[in-house]
Amino acid sequence: MPAAGALVLQAVGLASLREAERAAASIQAVQPDLEHIVIGDAETLRRATATFQRKIDVEEGLDATIRAALRRAARVSTGCRRRSGCADELVRALRVARIAHLRRLLTEYDYVVSMDADSLACQKPDFALKGAWDVALRPVPVAVRKGPARDLPPYPPEFSGALLILRNTTATQNLLETWAALYASYNDGKHPTSDQPLLRVALRAAGARVRYLPVRYGCAVWSAS
């Protein structure tokens, strides 16, 4: 039987680990019953504190090309992100890894909370809220209409990928599988790292039921400062 819930944070490189520890502490303060999981490179995991009950090698189960890119990403001292000028192929590798590990971990829990390392829990979230939903997501103001998302109707809107609350349901598993396949096969030359429009496509294809989250359920530290 799956365990109740887990917080999953990805930390590749020491800078990302320090952010992940801060994010985990913010969740611990408002939702103390979640198991804390960190996914990172071997060197980073050796430095992880007892904040995390479970540590997973980010390279596990991934192909050689992705593993090589992840090793390069781990050497970016400031943390590998698109906004900090990290190479597109490295950012893509990090996002491929994140979705792949979420697919595996979701089978072990009733629900999984995936949060960007540079975010904080701003208010106590009711992750276990009952009702007919598969995923809980926070909408963003503007949808990017490109690639497979170009012809989608305006509703449902685009959602932030920074905070995902995923219930262990067939629809959610299908959503992650579809999202992974779309991201692996589609590479927009102008926005090659973008994954949120493809999440929107995957939601529609999988028929996943969405619960809307307000902004207070997760704050991006970098955008709020």
Side-chain angles (χ1 to χ4, degrees), residues 58-59 83 91 119 121 134:
V58 72
E59 296 185 23
R83 69 174 184 278
V91 176
S119 296
D134 301 297

Side-chain angles (χ1 to χ4, degrees), residues 27-208:
I27 282 281
Q28 179 68 24
V30 296
Q31 193 80 6
D33 57 345
L34 294 176
E35 181 177 2
H36 289 189
I37 302 172
V38 62
I39 300 168
D41 58 286
E43 178 60 29
T44 298
L45 292 180
R46 280 193 287 271
R47 300 186 181 203
T49 67
T51 298
F52 299 102
Q53 292 86 43
R54 187 173 175 187
K55 303 170 186 178
I56 298 174
D57 190 328
V58 72
E59 296 185 23
E60 184 179 315
L62 301 176
D63 65 41
T65 302
I66 298 296
R67 293 199 305 270
L70 291 169
R71 289 168 195 163
R72 290 168 56 200
R75 295 194 290 270
V76 178
S77 61
T78 57
C80 185
R81 293 190 184 84
R82 183 181 60 182
R83 69 174 184 278
S84 62
C86 198
D88 289 342
E89 66 174 301
L90 306 189
V91 176
R92 281 186 63 86
L94 289 168
R95 293 182 177 179
V96 167
R98 180 197 186 200
I99 300 171
H101 285 290
L102 287 175
R103 289 179 66 188
R104 298 188 195 103
L105 287 168
L106 186 58
T107 63
E108 303 177 30
Y109 298 89
D110 289 336
Y111 65 98
V112 164
V113 180
S114 173
M115 190 165 71
D116 279 0
D118 61 345
S119 296
L120 293 175
C122 305
Q123 181 172 322
K124 182 175 181 178
D126 186 6
F127 293 145
L129 185 70
K130 304 299 182 184
W133 59 276
D134 301 297
V135 297
L137 303 167
R138 191 176 57 206
V140 296
V142 179
V144 178
R145 300 177 66 83
K146 65 177 186 179
R150 184 174 293 113
D151 298 323
L152 289 183
Y155 183 86
E158 187 170 313
F159 296 94
S160 171
L163 176 64
L164 312 172
I165 305 174
L166 309 168
R167 268 183 167 172
N168 186 354
T169 67
T170 299
T172 307
Q173 291 286 357
N174 291 341
L175 164 66
L176 293 175
E177 181 181 2
T178 304
W179 192 20
L182 285 168
Y183 196 64
S185 62
Y186 182 75
N187 188 338
D188 183 327
K190 186 176 180 181
H191 304 284
T193 66
S194 184
D195 58 353
Q196 287 181 180
L198 301 179
L199 172 60
R200 186 166 172 244
V201 176
L203 282 165
R204 185 175 179 86

